[in-house]
Amino acid sequence: MLDIALVGCGGMMPLPNRYLSSLLLRFEGRMLLIDCGEGTQVSVKQVGWGFKNIDCICLTHFHADHVAGLPGLLLTIGGSGREEPLTIVGPQGVGHIVRSLCVIAPEIPFPINFIEIPARGATDIAIPLTSYALSASPAEHNCPCFAFRVDIKRKGKFDLEAAQLLPIPRNYWKVLQSGQDIEHEGRLYAPDMVMGQERKGLAVSYCTDSRPPRGLAAFVRGSDIFVCEGHYGEDDKLDKAKSHKHMLFSEAAQLARAGEVKQMWLTHFSPAMPNPEAFIQVARNIFPNSHVGYDRMTATLSFEED
Amino acid sequence: MLDIALVGCGGMMPLPNRYLSSLLLRFEGRMLLIDCGEGTQVSVKQVGWGFKNIDCICLTHFHADHVAGLPGLLLTIGGSGREEPLTIVGPQGVGHIVRSLCVIAPEIPFPINFIEIPARGATDIAIPLTSYALSASPAEHNCPCFAFRVDIKRKGKFDLEAAQLLPIPRNYWKVLQSGQDIEHEGRLYAPDMVMGQERKGLAVSYCTDSRPPRGLAAFVRGSDIFVCEGHYGEDDKLDKAKSHKHMLFSEAAQLARAGEVKQMWLTHFSPAMPNPEAFIQVARNIFPNSHVGYDRMTATLSFEED
């Protein structure tokens, strides 16, 4: 099961009743966080999944409202007893940015590995210690910025009948199931001889701080949950959205519809919009399964029945 | 009148119901902030005095729980329309630390001036745009750290009879009152010829992240409010306090008593102490006018009647 928590849903600055936009995923006990603004660690604490198993932090871009909480979170993860390496993924220069911020946190007790995303994006980055496959696609903001997609891939079913027909000992079946070839009596056996086609996995996508990016519908296609910026609710804020490089509810809904996602959660609300719920119909008119995000909105996704 | 707000009272990490330790002063509409941890700007917003007139930020030391909120706060101050320079005071290296943190906030729209405190401390630093006189005295932490004292000085009374005896035009009286010498018909007149002795002003002192520092009682002497760390309530935490370089409630109370302050506010509570009120009697047995601080605890001080 994949647990998802929208840690915060605010844009630009943290507010007394709204943490900054951030998403936490948990699968097989391992966690991946997208963005970490000022105060994110406080809401993560309230989510209640602990800090120690946060294995990866993905940064969409380097504006303060998406990264200023990093030194505090890293110290708190350290305080939780983590010693395993942690991976931080972000646009080019991510190592420099994180090291600059951590001038006030020199005593982080675990190694940090950085993965720089090339400008064109990246596909299926394996995140160490986890089963997450991370992809990144360029967003359209006033600085380098990425949308993310996290896939949990699912192998095909084990074909017992096919396995029984192979002249190999039964204890080799597991090896093939794990994806490795085996050699037996001079002959090579490959996993696809006993495994069915890859089954539908789980996918969560996340896009904030962007105009509607080219290619995003294809990038998020079929996501179980698409978390998308809806910085402004009203359509008459289009000029403002264009000049600040943000999205309207209606633009997010168009992306959700074009990407044929299962549901969309809106996030990254303007501080000038205290009640985003008031505009939900704008999104639902275009994409009915739209939801206004709120701090610590959660969901659990399971693989489909076979 | 001097307004004082304890913006937060937590130590080490921000908690869902406790912001990090920070103090905000307001006099004649101009503000001075001591320390700025992650989330401080959110509590400052709740204090309700605005952001634009924050003229000075004093940093006790460079641990994340005292400075990580700086980039966000500076951006929010910028968003409030400030264009006047802002002064940041801190231990040596303050400019480097703030510039490193602000790698994620390159667009701050006002100049920042830095004042580095020498290791031995400093007395009566005039803070531009304000009437604050700031002093700093070394604390005893595991890195360079200072206690602060903020004085609002008060001139003596104007001596009308003495002024009338001087052979100078009446419109020169104001010049003398403002502290400037004047020359009239070849003779020099000084302010002390018409002004009485300096009267008692107002003083607020602040000391966190320290063992009880040598000389601190003299440094805070007579303060109207002494805000002091009480990291642990129980006396049996002395060994822990010594090893982490923090103070007990009882040690803070001894400093308050020795310094003959008017009242003491305890702050910077350990995250492991959810209910510091439970230990208030430990402090009051030593210094009766002790108070357990809480987020946005406020007070207003006025000059004494003449």
Side-chain angles (χ1 to χ4, degrees):
Chain A
M1 288 193 302
L2 174 65
D3 298 309
I4 296 140
L6 186 64
V7 176
C9 61
M12 295 177 69
M13 63 179 73
L15 298 177
N17 56 354
R18 189 189 282 169
Y19 286 96
L20 287 166
S21 193
S22 169
L23 192 76
L24 186 63
L25 305 183
R26 180 174 63 169
F27 183 75
E28 295 170 343
R30 314 305 306 191
M31 289 184 278
L32 177 148
L33 181 74
I34 300 179
D35 280 348
C36 184
E38 183 177 355
T40 290
Q41 67 160 309
V42 187
S43 191
V44 168
K45 190 179 177 74
Q46 289 174 276
V47 169
W49 299 347
F51 290 95
K52 194 173 174 184
N53 290 351
I54 297 179
D55 297 303
C56 180
I57 302 172
C58 304
L59 304 174
T60 55
H61 64 304
F62 302 140
H63 282 165
D65 55 330
H66 294 256
V67 294
L70 263 183
L73 177 68
L74 294 173
L75 286 169
T76 295
I77 292 173
S80 75
R82 185 180 182 94
E83 293 179 358
E84 293 167 305
L86 184 148
T87 302
I88 299 185
V89 185
Q92 288 182 297
V94 60
H96 165 68
I97 293 287
V98 175
R99 276 187 291 266
S100 291
L101 288 176
C102 288
V103 67
I104 54 170
E107 69 277 39
I108 293 166
F110 49 82
I112 298 176
N113 300 323
F114 295 102
I115 297 177
E116 283 197 345
I117 308 165
R120 67 180 181 282
T123 304
D124 286 343
I125 304 167
I127 302 298
L129 304 172
T130 77
S131 302
Y132 300 115
L134 178 77
S135 301
S137 179
E140 290 182 31
H141 201 42
N142 48 23
C143 67
C145 182
F146 289 96
F148 290 117
R149 175 185 176 117
V150 181
D151 280 281
I152 309 282
K153 309 233 170 179
R154 193 179 185 205
K155 289 178 192 156
K157 283 180 94 164
F158 180 69
D159 184 340
L160 182 63
E161 284 180 22
Q164 282 170 332
L165 291 173
L166 297 182
I168 57 173
R170 273 178 170 248
N171 56 0
Y172 280 11
W173 293 1
K174 228 178 196 163
V175 183
L176 291 172
Q177 261 184 299
S178 78
Q180 286 180 275
D181 292 339
I182 53 166
E183 205 186 312
H184 180 67
E185 294 178 350
R187 208 184 133 189
L188 200 71
Y189 297 88
D192 63 7
M193 298 168 88
V194 297
M195 303 298 291
Q197 284 253 307
E198 187 174 294
R199 285 172 288 180
K200 189 188 169 312
L202 299 171
V204 175
S205 300
Y206 186 91
C207 179
T208 66
D209 293 72
S210 186
R211 293 292 304 140
R214 276 166 199 262
L216 196 84
F219 180 71
V220 305
R221 186 163 314 281
S223 294
D224 295 279
I225 297 181
F226 172 40
V227 181
C228 189
E229 152 171 300
H231 199 71
Y232 305 107
E234 312 96 309
D235 278 339
D236 62 11
K237 293 266 168 70
L238 181 61
D239 288 347
K240 215 167 175 178
K242 283 182 174 170
S243 86
H244 295 290
K245 301 281 183 190
H246 284 298
M247 268 190 264
L248 307 175
F249 276 29
S250 59
E251 292 174 319
Q254 282 155 14
L255 288 173
R257 185 173 62 186
E260 296 173 334
V261 304
K262 291 203 182 147
Q263 56 177 300
M264 176 181 63
W265 294 4
L266 289 158
T267 187
H268 204 278
F269 306 123
S270 161
M273 180 165 65
N275 183 20
E277 279 286 355
F279 307 103
I280 184 60
Q281 208 50 49
V282 177
R284 287 195 176 153
N285 288 344
I286 297 163
F287 182 75
N289 207 1
S290 298
H291 302 271
V292 169
Y294 54 86
D295 289 3
R296 295 176 299 287
M297 177 176 185
T298 55
T300 296
L301 300 174
S302 301
F303 290 129
E304 283 175 1
E305 296 288 319
D306 295 318
Chain B
M1 289 195 301
L2 174 64
D3 298 309
I4 297 140
L6 186 64
V7 176
C9 62
M12 295 176 67
M13 64 179 72
L15 297 177
N17 56 355
R18 189 190 281 169
Y19 286 97
L20 287 165
S21 193
S22 169
L23 191 77
L24 185 64
L25 305 183
R26 180 174 63 169
F27 183 75
E28 295 169 343
R30 313 307 305 193
M31 289 185 276
L32 178 149
L33 181 74
I34 300 178
D35 280 347
C36 185
E38 183 178 355
T40 289
Q41 65 159 311
V42 187
S43 191
V44 167
K45 189 177 179 79
Q46 289 173 277
V47 169
W49 299 346
F51 289 95
K52 194 173 175 184
N53 290 350
I54 297 178
D55 297 304
C56 181
I57 302 173
C58 304
L59 304 174
T60 55
H61 64 303
F62 302 139
H63 281 166
D65 55 329
H66 294 256
V67 294
L70 263 182
L73 177 68
L74 293 172
L75 286 169
T76 295
I77 293 173
S80 74
R82 186 180 182 96
E83 293 179 358
E84 293 167 304
L86 183 147
T87 302
I88 299 185
V89 185
Q92 289 181 297
V94 61
H96 165 67
I97 294 286
V98 175
R99 277 188 290 267
S100 290
L101 288 176
C102 288
V103 66
I104 54 168
E107 69 277 38
I108 293 167
F110 49 82
I112 299 176
N113 300 323
F114 295 102
I115 298 178
E116 282 197 345
I117 308 166
R120 68 181 180 282
T123 304
D124 286 344
I125 304 166
I127 302 298
L129 305 172
T130 77
S131 303
Y132 300 115
L134 177 77
S135 301
S137 180
E140 289 181 31
H141 201 41
N142 48 23
C143 67
C145 182
F146 290 96
F148 290 117
R149 175 183 176 118
V150 181
D151 281 281
I152 309 284
K153 309 234 170 181
R154 194 179 184 205
K155 288 178 191 159
K157 283 181 90 164
F158 181 70
D159 184 341
L160 183 64
E161 284 180 21
Q164 283 170 333
L165 291 174
L166 296 181
I168 58 172
R170 274 177 168 250
N171 58 0
Y172 281 12
W173 293 1
K174 228 180 194 160
V175 183
L176 291 172
Q177 263 184 296
S178 78
Q180 286 183 272
D181 291 338
I182 53 165
E183 205 186 314
H184 179 66
E185 294 177 351
R187 210 185 132 188
L188 200 70
Y189 297 87
D192 65 8
M193 298 169 87
V194 298
M195 302 299 289
Q197 285 252 307
E198 187 173 293
R199 286 172 287 182
K200 189 188 169 312
L202 299 172
V204 175
S205 299
Y206 185 90
C207 179
T208 66
D209 293 71
S210 187
R211 293 292 305 142
R214 277 165 200 263
L216 196 84
F219 180 71
V220 306
R221 188 164 309 284
S223 294
D224 295 279
I225 296 181
F226 172 41
V227 180
C228 189
E229 151 171 300
H231 199 71
Y232 305 108
E234 313 97 308
D235 278 340
D236 62 11
K237 294 264 167 71
L238 181 60
D239 288 347
K240 214 167 175 179
K242 282 182 175 171
S243 86
H244 295 290
K245 301 283 185 189
H246 284 297
M247 269 189 265
L248 307 174
F249 276 28
S250 59
E251 292 173 319
Q254 282 156 13
L255 287 172
R257 183 173 65 186
E260 296 174 334
V261 304
K262 292 203 180 148
Q263 57 178 298
M264 176 180 63
W265 295 3
L266 289 158
T267 187
H268 204 278
F269 306 123
S270 162
M273 181 166 64
N275 183 19
E277 279 286 354
F279 306 103
I280 184 60
Q281 208 50 50
V282 177
R284 287 194 176 152
N285 288 344
I286 296 163
F287 182 74
N289 207 2
S290 298
H291 303 271
V292 169
Y294 53 86
D295 289 3
R296 295 175 299 285
M297 177 177 185
T298 56
T300 296
L301 300 174
S302 301
F303 289 129
E304 285 176 359
E305 295 287 319
D306 296 319

